[in-house]
Amino acid sequence: MGTDVEKEKQLAAQAAAALVESGMRLGLGTGSTVAYLLPALAQRRLALRCVATSPETEHAARALGFTVEPFTLDHLDLAIDGADQISPEGWLVKGAGAAHTREKLVAVTAERFVVIVDSTKPVPALHPPVPLELMAFGLASTLSRLGQACLRDVPPSPDGGVIADFTGPVGDPAVLAARLAATPGVVDHGLFPPEMVTMILVGRGESVERLEIR
């Protein structure tokens, strides 16, 4: 039998929901795995102050009765989000849903950042594409200096950024992350370092594997 990816996402999301405690300031990620987190969390009926990383997550969370606030907090207790790829060292590639800039800001603000994925997301080595958010101003210049990058046919980010993908080799993710971060015109990229990640919950078959990163 093939892998039931949706079931694995649901199991990982339910395991993450069990980590949330009443009174927490909680960062909510974006994507198909977070879509399973929200109803699992709603069933617990906790008193939470939530920050959402996208309008889609905000609307879904409000529909389930969550209190979603503007992101004016300087500290979050916990953030939960998915990932597109996970390396053996704990590096993440995020941004398939074009929310990586907000997701990174929420993750770095959280005391603990928990990542929830199915068993197809851990990979032997990170590979392209790596999502980018670019300034619209000087876009042609930025793309030229990036070299191997292409625009994605999606709307701008909620903050007005242009969504693109770096399509060159990843190699050492720390080196690529530094290069992308140092490129004028790049708002942010979808490489998340292991130092940002507390725990990864991987749905595998009928169980959840827990990987402690820091």
Side-chain angles (χ1 to χ4, degrees), residues 91 130 146 166 168-183 189 191:
W91 277 89
V130 174
L146 283 169
F166 178 79
V170 174
D172 184 338
V175 173
L176 179 59
R179 179 200 157 193
L180 295 174
T183 302
H189 55 80
L191 290 166

Side-chain angles (χ1 to χ4, degrees), residues 11 19 30-31 36 39 44 50 67 92 100 113 128 134 148 164 168 188:
L11 288 172
L19 300 174
T30 294
Y36 287 110
R44 299 195 59 207
C50 298
T67 299
L92 312 179
H100 48 284
F113 177 39
L134 311 176
Q148 295 170 286
D188 214 335

